[in-house]
Amino acid sequence: MNRRRVMEKKWWHKTVGYQIYPKSFQDTNGDGIGDLKGVIRHLDKIEKLGANVIWLCPVFASPMVDNGYDISDYMDIDPSFGTMEDMKELIAEAKKRGIRILMDLVVNHSSDRHAWFQAALKDPFGKYGKYYVFREGKDGKEPNNWRSIFGGSAWEKVPGYDKLYYLHIFTKEQPDLNWENPKLREEIYEMILKWMDLGLGGFRLDAISHLKKNYQYTNLPPDGPDEYNMAFEYFNNVDGLADILCEMKERTFAPTDALTIGEYDHMGPEDVEDVIGENGSFSSVFDFCHTLDNVRNPKWGNTVALFDDYRDQLFAAQKIVDGRGMLCNFLENHDKPRSIDRFLMPEDQNLYSEKMLPVTNFFLPGIVFLYQGQEIGMTNCHRNDISEYDDISTKDQYQVAIDAGCTKEEALACCYENSRDNARTPMQWSADENGGFSAHAPWLAVNPNYKEINVSEQEGRADSVLSYYKELIKLRKSPEYEETFVYGNVEPVYEDTDTVFGFMRMGKENRQKILVAANYGKEAVSLPLPGTAKKLLLSNAGRRKLADADHITLESLETAVVLLKA
């Protein structure tokens, strides 16, 4: 793997990112909702952790139908998070600490409250009507039978018109923008450049693979009882998307040296050069290969079976990229249950396994992102009633389970395993009331385990998960080894050894060889080293050195990073 990498070095190649869900990070004004001043308050902690990039989930003005992913004004901050002055202060204070801010940008669609769409409703055939996708229905129905990603028709009837509909591949409050319109594109580009002029580091681009649609508008065979079809191939990675993305990059991102991370589904080997290659549209993309993995799914059913599949998926993703670009390596985000509960059965959850998890992808080629609370081992949150959830998709899933004959307890168990709210519980700063998040009742109840799992408690313990994450980041950013971790080749090892996740990182210029190995099995394993050990760089078991220069024995859930002699 990674034999052909020829890459111009960029500042963002050394990214260790930290994703923040502002609503749940820190409340400073007592309204139970996190805000930008709360992010500013904890910049020193993020700096000490070792992150040099912060990705903020949406803070633009929004009606919050979809938690801010429905933007009503691209050049204003939602009052629940603060003001534009707060945003400017955050950018400036982060810069003082060597941290760049990424904003979460949504340009596949806007909110239906956006001034453009309000004007379009008044005149669907005028200037702003052309900023969106309006079509006439057929035979008294929608223009076609596309299903929205959130369920139901992807078309909504325009008030005051008998046959006219607008397209929304997400909620009806999120009308799709018409990227075929050059005037719309110019508006978007101007907005992006204004933000970069304010000192922004770049953007995470939401739903970016949907900008181009196949406008044949033919009905497709229904794939469900609702008579609709999830016509993904008609609005995801459609031919011509690369041209749009390339134009956006050339007009906005390239001239400003922005870090851009695309939410881009199903990148194949043939797409790499266009997407994240040396001249690709984005700096990186999130690799979603493992995001459906859940140890409680009968497909896996236990920690060992899941990790076998997880290991193979990550190696396959690296093979697809083949050194031509950098993936974004992550375990958690705002849309997924916590990684401890996703990857580990309850009986396997302990300090060793919680420290093993990040090592499995932290040292692979690519940039790294952590999600708030991951660094202290935050977990999923049990709820006693569906009314305690906020996430609309969780409530829908609960009702589907009830309608299918599940008991309340069974439906809630499903929510516990899958709800996005698991990642959105307030950050656990201390054992104080509400986990130190707010003096007011939080918008979403804090996980009751905050008294045991919190930042304050772990900052004072050398063996804590937080201390271990600091060690991880310090090692990855170490001047002595950073060149190998960032630009070195990768080769899987021990692929035929059950329960072992292992790979080599090999420096090109410095000829370094570093082994990363984890044993996710129940029993100890003894492995021949692919070289002679020189130094143990990291251990989740408190080891200081290896007993043997030619072999390594890993106990259950143990991981090690070993420098080998060149």
Side-chain angles (χ1 to χ4, degrees), residues 356-369:
M356 177 189 74
L357 277 178
V359 177
T360 56
N361 72 351
F362 205 86
F363 295 107
L364 284 170
I367 64 177
V368 178
F369 263 86

Side-chain angles (χ1 to χ4, degrees), residues 236-375:
N236 186 69
N237 294 353
V238 172
D239 287 345
L241 175 65
D243 295 333
I244 291 175
L245 298 180
C246 183
E247 179 185 86
M248 179 161 51
K249 174 195 173 182
E250 294 304 318
R251 293 289 304 279
T252 61
F253 305 141
T256 56
D257 196 23
L259 167 58
T260 56
I261 305 175
E263 185 186 31
Y264 191 95
D265 299 318
H266 310 300
M267 183 176 67
E270 69 281 1
D271 303 319
V272 172
E273 299 292 349
D274 286 337
V275 180
I276 59 171
E278 192 65 28
N279 298 307
S281 300
F282 309 115
S283 308
S284 183
V285 294
F286 282 100
D287 173 22
F288 291 103
C289 68
H290 61 79
T291 55
L292 296 179
D293 290 5
N294 194 314
V295 71
R296 290 167 176 79
N297 187 317
K299 178 179 178 181
W300 294 287
N302 63 72
T303 300
V304 171
L306 179 137
F307 262 91
D308 285 340
D309 192 65
Y310 171 69
R311 172 192 64 187
D312 295 344
Q313 289 185 84
L314 290 189
F315 287 157
Q318 290 293 331
K319 189 173 182 179
I320 287 173
V321 174
D322 196 24
R324 294 175 289 168
M326 286 190 173
L327 292 172
C328 184
N329 302 323
F330 70 102
L331 283 174
E332 297 190 6
N333 65 28
H334 63 291
D335 276 337
K336 291 294 174 183
R338 290 289 182 174
S339 59
I340 288 173
D341 290 298
R342 278 177 53 219
F343 289 103
L344 301 168
M345 292 298 284
E347 62 269 20
D348 295 325
Q349 296 177 11
N350 54 47
L351 273 179
Y352 295 117
S353 60
E354 291 170 16
K355 294 175 182 179
M356 177 189 74
L357 277 178
V359 177
T360 56
N361 72 351
F362 205 86
F363 295 107
L364 284 170
I367 64 177
V368 178
F369 263 86
L370 283 67
Y371 178 69
Q372 66 182 49
Q374 177 185 334
E375 74 275 23

Side-chain angles (χ1 to χ4, degrees), residues 47 95 118 145 169 200 218 307 310 474 513 548:
E47 180 186 12
K95 183 178 180 180
Q118 291 297 305
N145 67 339
I169 63 172
L200 209 62
T218 54
F307 262 91
Y310 171 69
K474 183 179 179 180
K513 296 194 295 184
D548 192 314

Side-chain angles (χ1 to χ4, degrees), residues 484-543:
T484 299
F485 288 134
V486 174
Y487 297 109
N489 294 324
V490 61
E491 287 289 350
V493 293
Y494 310 128
E495 286 186 279
D496 296 328
T497 305
D498 291 340
T499 80
V500 173
F501 191 136
F503 54 91
M504 292 283 297
R505 296 303 310 275
M506 293 163 290
K508 296 174 182 176
E509 298 176 6
N510 58 20
R511 315 305 294 175
Q512 274 183 350
K513 296 194 295 184
I514 300 175
L515 169 70
V516 180
N519 173 24
Y520 47 86
K522 301 286 189 181
E523 306 295 334
V525 292
S526 182
L527 304 165
L529 289 171
T532 303
K534 182 177 181 181
K535 185 179 181 180
L536 179 63
L537 301 179
L538 187 71
S539 166
N540 69 335
R543 294 182 190 269

Side-chain angles (χ1 to χ4, degrees), residues 432-495:
D432 296 336
E433 186 178 7
N434 299 321
F437 165 73
S438 176
H440 187 275
W443 71 277
L444 184 65
V446 66
N447 193 320
N449 66 14
Y450 72 87
K451 293 184 179 180
E452 295 78 40
I453 302 174
N454 62 72
V455 173
S456 293
E457 190 276 333
Q458 294 196 22
E459 282 182 326
R461 251 191 322 115
D463 68 341
S464 70
V465 174
L466 177 59
S467 295
Y468 187 74
Y469 267 95
K470 289 179 180 179
E471 282 188 67
L472 273 175
I473 295 171
K474 183 179 179 180
L475 175 58
R476 190 179 188 278
K477 296 176 70 175
S478 165
E480 191 172 355
Y481 308 113
E482 187 175 53
E483 188 75 12
T484 299
F485 288 134
V486 174
Y487 297 109
N489 294 324
V490 61
E491 287 289 350
V493 293
Y494 310 128
E495 286 186 279

